Amino acid sequence: MANWHALPPEDALKLLDSGPDGLSDDEAASRLERFGPNDLARISGPGPARILLRQFENYMVLVLLAAAVISWLSGERSNSIVVLGILFFIALLGFVQEYRAERAMEALRKMVAPEARVFRSGRMIKLPARNLVPGDVIYVEAGDIVPADARILDSSALETVESSLTGESNPVRKSPDPVKENAPLADRSSMLFMGTMVTYGNGKAVVTSTGSDTELGRISGMIQETPAEPPLKIRLQQLSKSLAVMVFIAALVVFSIQVYRGYPVLDTLLIAAALAVAGIPEALPFVVTLALAYGTQSMARRNAIVRRLPAVETLGSTTVICTDKTGTLTRGEMTVREIWCGRRVDVTGSGYVPEGVFRVDGSEIDPVSLDALKETIITGALCNNSELLQEDGWKIAGDPTEGALIVLARKAGLDLRERCREVTEYPFASDTRRMTTVHECDNLLRVSMKGAVEVVVERCSYIMDSSGLRPMTEGERERILEVADEMAGRALRVLATAFKRTESGELSREILEQDMIFTGLIGMMDPPREEVYGAIDVCKRAGIRPVMITGDHKRTAEAIARELRMLNGEVLDGSELDSMSDEELSDRIERISVFSRATAEHKMRIIKALKEHGHVVAMTGDGVNDAPALRSADIGIAMGRAGTDVSKEASDMVLADDNFATIVAAVEEGRRIYENIRKASSYMLAVTFAEVAVILVAVLVGLPAPLLALQILWINVVAEDFPAIGLAVEPARAGLMNERPRNPKEPILSRYVLRYTLGTSAAILIGTLGLFLLNLEDNLSYARTVAFASLGICAIYSAYSSRSFHSSVLEMNPLGNRKLLAGIVASLASVVMVIYIPVFQRTFETLPLTPDSWLQVWVVSTIVIVIAEVLKRSMMVGETNSLGSSSHSSPAKSR
Ligand code: ATP
């Protein structure tokens, strides 16, 4: 293999049979065939076989297998076959649901697959990184994760962090200059390596190797991804485990007592085994997986792409959403409205259409007639990395702020980029808040700078306006800041521009940026997104506090926050935050609704302070520096469009549309999913408890077992699971976002839910045992059939009642959840089938029921549902009271 790092860039290109314009599409396609996709061998999700096998890996299956074997050996072959059938059913149901969940997650993973910017036949396009081939010319900039190993062709202030490869966490400078052949990996400054982060600058490079041929591919071989398990699932698994122990003891008690009383050992053993199986809500973990997987799919349809499943659960309890302003609360489409260069110049036009005129005091002027205006516009265009494109309408490729400046220059006919050659560039970064370039224009070197007003003015010693060029006085400096303040107060995003001539572009940045000439202020409009107004209102009703954290000017931030009706507290500027201790911040944090001129470090302090108050914090971020904040927030949210790879990698969720309203929609989904899991768990536990108790109580009071082993299994596995799946996908109820956030520490079965569950369970128990006793005198098998029907129908009724903890069965839309309806019908059919179809009658030892008995079953199940409804009402009152006791504005304080 060639020593790419030691070759001059031209030689590397030649050797790879490529050129500065990259490959053609055809050539790239044929190389893709030859080299394969640019993927590392990843073990992502488990395959279907693995999922199927996993279904047999639990204790319950072992018990059932043992039961089948014992039945077979003792001649009860039909019993054994049914048990095996049930076993197969459990495995199939588990497999289908888990496989579908896995596929849903895989689809989500694909949605956040990394992309690369590639030159194909001279045009820059975005491609999935896996389609890169050796010879492709790529463009990278700060925030990107390098998509393949590549030889640098051209760079400006390019820096990368290669800790994933070399362990070194300091940024390394990169440039096209060849290095020594024997240079170690860490010193190969002319190369970019797959998986490393670009932290500053930008550059072009030619791909030298892809996929497992890269340095990363070589060291990692296989990257194993162990997806994080949702805490909820873990908690429910633990619950299932403790239940298993209790149920095992109950089964042992039942077995010992019945054998002691002289019942046949085999029948008793089977009942005990069935009890042991029935007592474990085996479908609980997969109902959770299902609710989460379907939930994340519907979140994706609403543009919120979940990267880590546990986030879904946390989302539902979010109390504060810290959000960026530009592009998230606002549209991120900038239009320059006004320029100040000693006098106010208005600019007309809309969006990115490069047509408009310049007006002073209402009269149109030629922008070239005012020197300061002309230089301001030229600076904006030169100090720029964006492109204006015309493809079904005018669009911007790159930063919208810079795009607006190109549109401005086109309106004035002053887009000089064709005539000038860039010599040096210090790109915009949110911590330096400025950008500086050196261009050679008509044999003269011009330094251009644009950025936040105070940052630019600080570097200016001269001012240019209608009365010419002169040294800047302190008074003028203050005046500029005042004008900028006034413009920002009108919700304009304000940038200052400055320029100067220089002898050399090779000087240090500090010297280059000294003694600049201030030329003007540019005010651009970035209107709020329409849907954010509604989303902010929803937040207020839902007890969630939106907090704006922006890099923009205090007055601009304040004006936008006021416009969006989210200014219900103080505005704190980054400089004020710097002078505050953590304690002071913590004291004031509950009153602050806007942080201006904030940096990524500020975000970390804000998260810490909010967490100290018990808040569950969702935080947005898009830049390289935002990664730590995204990680330390409870929910890190990255921007799908404007966000960097690095921020996406660090996030829990990605917004496909960068929209604040999407975060609120995701919170609603989070709440719905959590509630559904809660409902399904409560329902399954109620039925499970009732089944175990019916057998246990009957045996303890000296009665025969009211259900046979197969009957227990049938209700537990077949009749109970269908409705549970339906409950897991119940649509959001009205009013879900009119309640305060859930306390994340509250157990899934809160006091009230547990009372409802146990109460319903007790009602089913008493009703079923009562009916069993009532019919026992006639015939044991008949009494068992009645008990079977009663348990089955009560379970179905209670599934319907569990659809909502917040409204009665009469208030619910009966067709609101078709999956549940289908589940209920399937469940009902499975009960009736066992009672009426002859082969089932023989195996399950059932008898057809008389209309009288059905009436009894109906009366009992109706009583059960009335009791469940009464419990539900007391839960509603209880939960409202317990929530109402804490103040609305500081949701977490009551914890
Ligand atoms: P948010 O964090 O809400 O997205 P923002 O986009 O306004 O806020 P930054 O992008 O960090 O925050 O911008 C901060 C300031 O830096 C702006 O107010 C502006 O003055 C200046 N600025 C923004 N973009 C550029 C740019 N491309 N070149 C030079 N200066 C810029």
Side-chain angles (χ1 to χ4, degrees):
M1 192 199 279
N3 278 322
W4 303 109
H5 54 277
L7 292 176
E10 311 74 52
D11 292 6
L13 272 177
K14 213 177 286 165
L15 213 60
L16 286 158
D17 217 358
S18 184
D21 285 347
L23 303 172
S24 67
D25 283 335
D26 289 345
E27 178 59 23
S30 86
R31 289 194 193 192
L32 192 59
E33 292 258 306
R34 185 146 46 106
F35 293 99
N38 176 33
D39 265 343
L40 293 183
R42 272 173 198 272
I43 305 173
S44 42
R50 180 83 204 85
I51 296 177
L52 188 64
L53 269 184
R54 206 152 67 185
Q55 308 306 319
F56 294 93
E57 277 172 6
N58 69 46
Y59 141 86
M60 182 187 69
V61 168
L62 294 181
V63 175
L64 280 182
L65 265 180
V69 171
I70 295 171
S71 305
W72 187 269
L73 292 179
S74 58
E76 298 269 354
R77 305 244 153 124
S78 55
N79 255 2
S80 169
I81 290 169
V82 175
V83 171
L84 285 179
I86 286 177
L87 195 67
F88 179 71
F89 179 83
I90 296 179
L92 191 71
L93 200 65
F95 170 75
V96 171
Q97 301 305 347
E98 217 178 302
Y99 184 63
R100 279 161 72 175
E102 197 50 56
R103 288 253 302 273
M105 291 314 295
E106 193 62 43
L108 285 180
R109 274 196 283 271
K110 287 214 178 97
M111 288 171 91
V112 285
E115 291 193 318
R117 276 176 288 249
V118 191
F119 291 89
R120 290 272 167 94
S121 307
R123 263 177 63 100
M124 187 158 90
I125 50 170
K126 269 193 169 182
L127 278 184
R130 71 190 302 272
N131 292 355
L132 284 185
V133 291
D136 261 331
V137 175
I138 54 172
Y139 172 82
V140 292
E141 63 180 16
D144 286 355
I145 292 184
V146 176
D149 284 4
R151 171 68 174 85
I152 297 168
L153 302 173
D154 191 7
S155 69
S156 92
L158 189 61
E159 281 179 10
T160 63
V161 167
E162 302 186 333
S163 51
S164 55
L165 214 55
T166 59
E168 171 58 55
S169 55
N170 286 326
V172 267
R173 245 304 147 96
K174 296 282 174 174
S175 81
D177 304 332
V179 294
K180 280 202 287 255
E181 237 174 66
N182 58 358
L185 205 61
D187 294 342
R188 295 187 187 168
S189 56
S190 57
M191 296 290 295
L192 291 174
F193 298 109
M194 182 180 196
T196 59
M197 289 186 280
V198 181
T199 48
Y200 195 68
N202 53 45
K204 264 170 92 172
V206 58
V207 173
T208 53
S209 39
T210 56
S212 46
D213 295 337
T214 59
E215 293 298 333
L216 184 67
R218 232 172 292 164
I219 56 164
S220 61
M222 297 250 237
I223 293 184
Q224 188 134 15
E225 278 181 358
T226 17
E229 282 277 23
L232 191 61
K233 192 168 165 189
I234 298 171
R235 283 210 299 277
L236 284 174
Q237 270 162 347
Q238 280 162 352
L239 178 72
S240 290
K241 271 195 197 135
S242 6
L243 278 179
V245 175
M246 286 177 348
V247 166
F248 188 75
I249 295 172
L252 209 63
V253 170
V254 168
F255 177 74
S256 317
I257 294 180
Q258 295 301 77
V259 170
Y260 175 74
R261 287 195 188 135
Y263 284 99
V265 174
L266 182 73
D267 282 357
T268 316
L269 190 64
L270 284 183
I271 289 181
L275 203 59
V277 171
I280 309 159
E282 77 291 338
L284 208 50
F286 84 57
V287 164
V288 176
T289 312
L290 191 73
L292 290 173
Y294 275 94
T296 47
Q297 268 183 331
S298 70
M299 282 165 83
R301 278 194 293 275
R302 297 176 82 172
N303 285 322
I305 298 153
V306 171
R307 294 188 69 247
R308 293 191 238 283
L309 266 193
V312 178
E313 186 187 335
T314 324
L315 260 177
S317 55
T318 304
T319 60
V320 179
I321 304 176
C322 295
T323 171
D324 287 339
K325 169 178 72 66
T326 309
T328 312
L329 294 170
T330 64
R331 282 196 225 152
E333 290 163 9
M334 318 268 174
T335 317
V336 175
R337 287 264 161 259
E338 175 176 328
I339 298 170
W340 183 83
C341 45
R343 57 183 4 175
R344 174 172 165 171
V345 180
D346 293 307
V347 188
T348 66
S350 76
Y352 294 131
V353 183
E355 287 161 19
V357 294
F358 295 76
R359 288 206 178 106
V360 174
D361 298 331
S363 326
E364 193 173 325
I365 58 152
D366 179 359
V368 185
S369 62
L370 285 177
D371 282 345
L373 178 62
K374 184 176 124 196
E375 296 301 342
T376 301
I377 299 173
I378 294 175
T379 303
L382 289 181
C383 209
N384 209 304
N385 274 320
S386 287
E387 285 300 334
L388 181 64
L389 308 172
Q390 193 179 17
E391 356 175 286
D392 42 77
W394 292 94
K395 290 212 178 86
I396 291 296
D399 177 6
T401 304
E402 294 181 1
L405 297 175
I406 296 198
V407 175
L408 176 74
R410 292 280 186 90
K411 285 177 184 170
L414 288 171
D415 184 3
L416 301 189
R417 288 175 305 162
E418 293 279 295
R419 269 175 42 199
C420 302
R421 185 179 67 87
E422 188 178 283
V423 182
T424 311
E425 177 190 323
Y426 295 100
F428 173 74
S430 49
D431 52 348
T432 60
R433 272 191 229 117
R434 64 183 189 278
M435 171 171 178
T436 309
T437 56
V438 181
H439 279 83
E440 190 191 305
C441 302
D442 305 329
N443 294 326
L444 289 171
L445 286 177
R446 181 190 206 272
V447 183
S448 313
M449 178 197 282
K450 70 178 198 313
V453 184
E454 64 279 17
V455 176
V456 173
V457 169
E458 201 181 27
R459 289 167 176 78
C460 292
S461 310
Y462 303 91
I463 180 168
M464 177 185 257
D465 59 15
S466 42
S467 41
L469 175 67
R470 60 199 142 74
M472 184 153 72
T473 64
E474 209 38 54
E476 276 163 337
R477 205 180 296 266
E478 271 164 30
R479 169 94 179 109
I480 293 169
L481 294 177
E482 267 170 34
V483 175
D485 237 36
E486 187 276 325
M487 287 168 77
R490 286 183 283 123
L492 290 173
R493 180 176 176 80
V494 187
L495 245 66
T497 54
F499 84 112
K500 71 174 185 187
R501 304 269 170 223
T502 179
E503 297 297 308
S504 153
E506 305 286 302
L507 302 170
S508 75
R509 180 168 191 179
E510 217 168 298
I511 297 181
L512 265 186
E513 291 181 333
Q514 270 175 5
D515 296 332
M516 301 288 293
I517 307 164
F518 173 85
T519 61
L521 300 173
I522 302 178
M524 39 185 100
M525 196 64 211
D526 177 17
R529 288 173 178 264
E530 279 306 317
E531 55 287 20
V532 170
Y533 292 89
I536 299 273
D537 287 343
V538 173
C539 281
K540 285 183 192 156
R541 287 199 305 271
I544 301 168
R545 197 150 64 93
V547 174
M548 180 195 287
I549 304 185
T550 174
D552 216 337
H553 192 282
K554 185 169 182 172
R555 299 279 311 270
T556 314
E558 186 175 355
I560 300 267
R562 182 169 296 117
E563 163 71 24
L564 286 169
R565 297 191 293 269
M566 61 181 283
L567 188 70
N568 49 8
E570 301 167 26
V571 181
L572 194 75
D573 197 63
S575 52
E576 298 169 80
L577 182 51
D578 282 332
S579 62
M580 244 184 215
S581 68
D582 283 352
E583 290 71 38
E584 280 171 285
L585 177 63
S586 179
D587 283 347
R588 279 178 66 182
I589 194 97
E590 296 279 20
R591 297 194 298 275
I592 301 170
S593 48
V594 176
F595 291 88
S596 60
R597 289 289 190 239
T599 61
E601 289 83 61
H602 291 147
K603 285 188 175 180
M604 296 291 285
R605 288 186 62 194
I606 295 166
I607 293 175
K608 185 164 161 268
L610 284 169
K611 280 190 170 177
E612 272 168 18
H613 285 261
H615 281 291
V616 176
V617 186
M619 167 75 77
T620 66
D622 48 15
V624 210
N625 307 339
D626 286 332
L630 292 178
R631 278 200 204 96
S632 71
D634 296 291
I635 312 268
I637 304 171
M639 302 297 146
R641 290 196 195 155
T644 54
D645 294 348
V646 175
S647 63
K648 288 181 202 166
E649 206 54 30
S651 69
D652 299 295
M653 186 169 95
V654 176
L655 303 180
D657 58 357
D658 296 9
N659 191 340
F660 177 79
T662 301
I663 307 177
V664 181
V667 171
E668 180 181 2
E669 284 291 329
R671 288 187 175 192
R672 177 182 75 89
I673 295 166
Y674 186 84
E675 221 177 75
N676 285 350
I677 293 176
R678 202 177 209 194
K679 288 185 282 198
S681 315
S682 157
Y683 156 72
M684 296 185 84
L685 290 175
V687 178
T688 302
F689 288 154
E691 270 175 301
V692 175
V694 163
I695 308 282
L696 194 64
V697 172
V699 168
L700 288 178
V701 298
L703 292 172
L707 294 165
L708 288 173
L710 291 188
Q711 296 171 347
I712 299 176
L713 286 179
W714 192 259
I715 290 197
N716 180 258
V717 177
V718 184
E720 183 187 321
D721 287 358
F722 287 125
I725 293 170
L727 283 175
V729 296
E730 178 78 21
R733 64 182 163 85
L736 188 63
M737 290 301 269
N738 291 341
E739 288 151 25
R740 293 162 22 78
R742 159 179 68 84
N743 179 348
K745 297 211 184 82
E746 181 187 86
I748 179 133
L749 296 177
S750 67
R751 191 151 51 104
Y752 293 99
V753 176
L754 197 62
R755 209 157 75 188
Y756 168 82
T757 311
L758 293 179
T760 311
S761 199
I764 301 178
L765 162 75
I766 295 169
T768 303
L769 264 188
L771 285 188
F772 177 66
L773 272 177
L774 201 65
N775 292 281
L776 192 56
E777 280 167 29
D778 307 338
N779 176 328
L780 179 58
S781 287
Y782 192 83
R784 279 183 171 150
T785 312
V786 176
F788 173 76
S790 160
L791 201 58
I793 305 294
C794 284
I796 293 169
Y797 264 47
S798 81
Y800 191 78
S801 163
S802 303
R803 270 183 68 193
S804 169
F805 289 157
H806 293 80
S807 42
S808 85
V809 277
L810 301 175
E811 290 161 349
M812 293 181 222
N813 170 8
L815 300 177
N817 180 349
R818 282 162 205 268
K819 280 218 169 80
L820 177 69
L821 275 191
I824 285 179
V825 171
S827 178
L828 201 59
S830 75
V831 171
V832 173
M833 194 168 84
V834 166
I835 299 178
Y836 287 101
I837 297 183
V839 292
F840 285 101
Q841 285 175 344
R842 278 194 297 279
T843 328
F844 284 80
E845 296 178 34
T846 54
L847 292 168
L849 295 186
T850 63
D852 265 2
S853 303
W854 276 118
L855 187 66
Q856 288 170 1
V857 169
W858 182 78
V859 169
V860 163
S861 43
T862 306
I863 294 173
V864 166
I865 204 141
V866 169
I867 292 173
E869 289 295 309
V870 171
L871 287 167
K872 204 151 80 175
R873 193 140 290 267
S874 81
M875 163 159 62
M876 282 188 255
V877 175
E879 289 211 333
T880 320
N881 285 344
S882 76
L883 286 175
S885 60
S886 53
S887 90
H888 190 81
S889 59
S890 57
K893 278 203 155 166
S894 58
R895 283 172 214 154

